[in-house]
Amino acid sequence: MTESAAHRESLPLDSTAQLLTRITTQLGTQLRHVSLNGTRRPMTPPTHPPTHLPTHQPTHPPRPPSPPALVAVAHGSRDPMALRTVTTLLERVRELRPGLDVRLGHIELNEPLLPDTLADIGPGAAVLVPLLLSRGYHVKQDLPQAAATAPHLRIRIATPLGPHPLLVEALYARLTEAGWRTSDATHPGSGVVLAAAGSRDPQSAADTRRTAAMLSARLGGVPVVPAYASAASPTVPEALRALAARGRHRTAVASYFTAPGRFAAQSAAAAPWIASAPLGTHPALARLLLLRYDQALATRSPAPRRQLASA
């Protein structure tokens, strides 16, 4: 007998209740390891909760690149109303396309000038959308030359606003505001002069003639004669005289200008009856600006810079 066993035997016995409790506890511990068929269950080590749970950082999808800036290119005017009108028009564009970087650049007479606007845009891409109503020197020469001064940008040049049905709707709305009524379409003396800025480029005159034909159809067949404030003929007074010679004395002047200015005022002053306001901030122009922007982006690739400079 070992010393520890002799020591346990020398200890006084516990009470009967304590002894029974101890025996019951030991039997319960043993029975947990015995299955119902009498075989002993395999011993499994106790499991412990992991001391460290792996942490997973949330993943976020990559942010899509910002769309190219829309740079609206206005001609510029000494009339202070021109700048206010174009600024308001671009606010309409921003409301239609929240988050789009919309900027303004002028060809001349007003700040910011187009090269300065392009210089302020960070490296990336931009679309120049001319606030011009037909093809001509500014679209073919001035815009490509300005684009060549911004080598940090991938630049596309959109087509001018006109001709397009949205412009015709804006022209019709402005004539209605000036006093044109549906009954005027059947008046035998009715006629309209479409007063445009004018250009020596024959494609510009072709674009204006097409708009005049579309406006005539919108007015129910009323004769619409294109006329010009400069650089081309007929002038607005000449077109008015030509219509009068055909018995068209109830003649309106439709102002085919994007904003107020000298040419618009000069054309309106020649009207023998009513003259509409420039297209200005009409909602159709804001929609058309975004349409030209989207169309430019839909082209496969921007023209090479060396071609832009010589277009």
Side-chain angles (χ1 to χ4, degrees):
M1 182 181 296
T2 64
E3 181 179 355
S4 60
H7 175 68
R8 284 197 301 271
E9 288 184 356
S10 65
L11 293 174
L13 291 174
D14 295 330
S15 66
T16 303
Q18 292 173 331
L19 182 60
L20 288 174
T21 300
R22 187 174 300 172
I23 293 172
T24 301
T25 302
Q26 291 176 354
L27 285 173
T29 301
Q30 295 297 322
L31 287 174
R32 281 200 301 270
H33 300 291
V34 178
S35 61
L36 294 177
N37 61 7
T39 60
R40 186 176 181 84
R41 294 174 179 164
M43 298 291 290
T44 57
T47 58
H48 300 283
T51 58
H52 175 71
L53 294 176
T55 58
H56 299 282
Q57 297 294 331
T59 58
H60 300 285
R63 180 178 298 179
S66 299
L70 187 161
V71 180
V73 185
H75 181 276
S77 171
R78 293 184 177 87
D79 189 329
M81 280 298 298
L83 180 57
R84 288 197 288 268
T85 299
V86 173
T87 301
T88 303
L89 174 63
L90 296 190
E91 288 300 326
R92 287 184 178 270
V93 173
R94 294 183 183 98
E95 291 171 0
L96 291 174
R97 191 74 59 89
L100 179 62
D101 185 7
V102 178
R103 307 198 183 204
L104 173 63
H106 292 92
I107 295 173
E108 60 181 356
L109 300 177
N110 288 113
E111 293 182 349
L113 293 173
L114 180 55
D116 296 332
T117 297
L118 297 178
D120 287 340
I121 301 175
V127 177
L128 308 187
V129 182
L131 292 177
L132 303 171
L133 302 175
S134 63
R135 293 167 291 177
Y137 183 86
H138 296 310
V139 174
K140 296 179 179 180
Q141 298 293 331
D142 289 337
L143 270 64
Q145 288 173 6
T149 67
H152 64 292
L153 291 172
R154 299 183 305 278
I155 293 178
R156 299 170 189 256
I157 300 178
T159 57
L161 298 183
H164 194 275
L166 283 171
L167 287 178
V168 175
E169 288 305 311
L171 285 166
Y172 182 84
R174 292 294 189 232
L175 278 172
T176 301
E177 293 167 359
W180 184 273
R181 298 293 177 261
T182 304
S183 58
D184 292 320
T186 59
H187 192 289
S190 293
V192 174
V193 170
L194 182 66
S199 170
R200 292 183 178 87
D201 190 315
Q203 288 186 320
S204 176
D207 290 343
T208 306
R209 287 195 300 269
R210 183 179 171 193
T211 300
M214 295 167 68
L215 180 59
S216 175
R218 181 67 178 86
L219 292 170
V222 173
V224 177
V225 177
Y228 307 96
S230 69
S233 61
T235 65
V236 172
E238 288 171 347
L240 288 168
R241 289 194 293 270
L243 282 170
R246 297 161 53 184
R248 301 285 176 169
H249 299 283
R250 188 178 175 84
T251 309
V253 172
S255 183
Y256 196 39
F257 302 95
T258 55
R262 179 170 63 90
F263 286 165
Q266 173 184 309
S267 299
W273 177 38
I274 60 173
S276 64
L279 301 173
T281 60
H282 192 279
L285 260 70
R287 291 164 52 200
L288 185 53
L289 263 171
L290 288 170
L291 176 63
R292 294 305 194 206
Y293 170 85
D294 292 337
Q295 289 174 336
L297 290 181
T299 58
R300 290 195 303 173
S301 62
R305 193 168 299 278
R306 63 178 177 274
Q307 292 182 9
L308 286 176
S310 59

